[in-house]
Amino acid sequence: MNKKSDKKREFILAKAKQVFIRKGFAAVTMKDIIDECEISRGGIYLYFNSIDEIFMQVISAHNKQKLEDTQNRIQENKSFDQVLEDYLSKQKKRLLNIGGSLLMAMHEYRFSHKSDQDKEFYYEQFLNTKNIILELLRYGADKGEISCGDLEDMAMNIMFLIEGISTMALSKVVTEEIIDSQFGCVKKMIFSAKRI
């Protein structure tokens, strides 16, 4: 593809992301995305074959951006405490505002798609969360602020906790107090390995 095509594709994905944030996944039609982009039906089909394809690419681009944002925060050379606090604050905000978010759209997609290819896609999303957490933990270990124990295992445990809370958030039973309590446990787990 040429640069113009790449820009058009990115434009469609950015607009589609806004539609998925507003409407979730289940209620979105190709017409919603076409209207948001203000392009023709034929114009969108030059780039994408289905809503599923658009959604998967929106999520992949979003996750890539989250990883880059984390890496950029690490490059700022803040303390590990601050970087971890920034990450957990963003997670808390996301979990408390699940309605009208990509998180809600992702859950809707997950509930309506059951093929092996879909399972692979979900697994990649879980791994993305784990990899972001692992980047943070490695940063803490590199700065000597936490132990270099089994960071992979710790990242996986934290990922499961966050994903579990996000599933509970669908039922609207997750409160700020619950999140604060669970994130407090995460911090204790991380800093119990703090170097002396």
Side-chain angles (χ1 to χ4, degrees):
M1 277 196 205
N2 61 37
K3 281 187 178 182
K4 187 175 178 183
S5 293
D6 288 345
K7 282 190 181 284
K8 186 68 165 188
R9 186 178 193 79
E10 288 172 18
F11 171 79
I12 293 168
L13 291 175
K15 291 293 191 174
K17 179 178 180 179
Q18 295 310 309
V19 175
F20 290 125
I21 288 170
R22 276 197 317 272
K23 295 185 80 169
F25 173 79
V28 173
T29 65
M30 193 63 99
K31 183 176 180 337
D32 293 327
I33 297 171
I34 290 166
D35 290 348
E36 186 81 11
C37 295
E38 298 179 349
I39 61 175
S40 68
R41 181 173 280 289
I44 203 161
Y45 283 106
L46 287 173
Y47 300 93
F48 302 100
N49 295 317
S50 67
I51 291 173
D52 286 5
E53 180 185 0
I54 294 171
F55 183 73
M56 290 172 78
Q57 290 191 28
V58 163
I59 294 297
S60 294
H62 178 73
N63 287 339
K64 181 180 176 193
Q65 185 62 54
K66 285 193 317 187
L67 182 59
E68 288 174 7
D69 289 348
T70 299
Q71 291 167 335
N72 289 337
R73 280 195 300 279
I74 288 170
Q75 292 298 318
E76 292 170 2
N77 204 25
K78 293 181 179 177
S79 72
F80 172 67
D81 288 347
Q82 185 61 53
V83 174
L84 178 64
E85 198 58 48
D86 290 348
Y87 176 77
L88 292 177
S89 292
K90 283 187 176 184
Q91 290 299 313
K92 178 178 173 179
K93 183 178 178 184
R94 182 179 75 104
L95 293 166
L96 289 172
N97 300 296
I98 192 168
S101 71
L102 280 181
L103 183 56
M104 177 62 91
M106 187 65 200
H107 281 296
E108 289 177 355
Y109 185 88
R110 192 174 298 144
F111 293 139
S112 63
H113 291 72
K114 306 290 183 194
S115 74
D116 287 342
Q117 181 183 1
D118 293 322
K119 289 177 188 173
E120 187 176 313
F121 175 65
Y122 311 142
Y123 186 67
E124 285 174 18
Q125 306 326 302
F126 292 132
L127 284 183
N128 184 70
T129 300
K130 185 206 86 166
N131 288 335
I132 289 171
I133 296 165
L134 187 57
E135 287 267 339
L136 294 173
L137 295 175
R138 285 183 177 147
Y139 179 66
D142 290 347
K143 288 188 77 70
E145 295 186 43
I146 63 172
S147 168
C148 292
D150 192 347
L151 299 180
E152 287 262 350
D153 221 22
M154 190 182 295
M156 190 67 89
N157 288 331
I158 296 168
M159 181 272 297
F160 279 125
L161 179 125
I162 290 170
E163 292 301 327
I165 294 172
S166 82
T167 300
M168 280 185 62
L170 295 172
S171 64
K172 308 289 187 209
V173 298
V174 172
T175 63
E176 189 170 349
E177 292 76 24
I178 289 171
I179 294 171
D180 287 342
S181 170
Q182 292 306 304
F183 284 1
C185 292
V186 165
K187 291 178 197 174
K188 282 181 190 170
M189 177 177 60
I190 291 170
F191 290 110
S192 67
K194 198 160 187 163
R195 290 184 176 178
I196 300 172

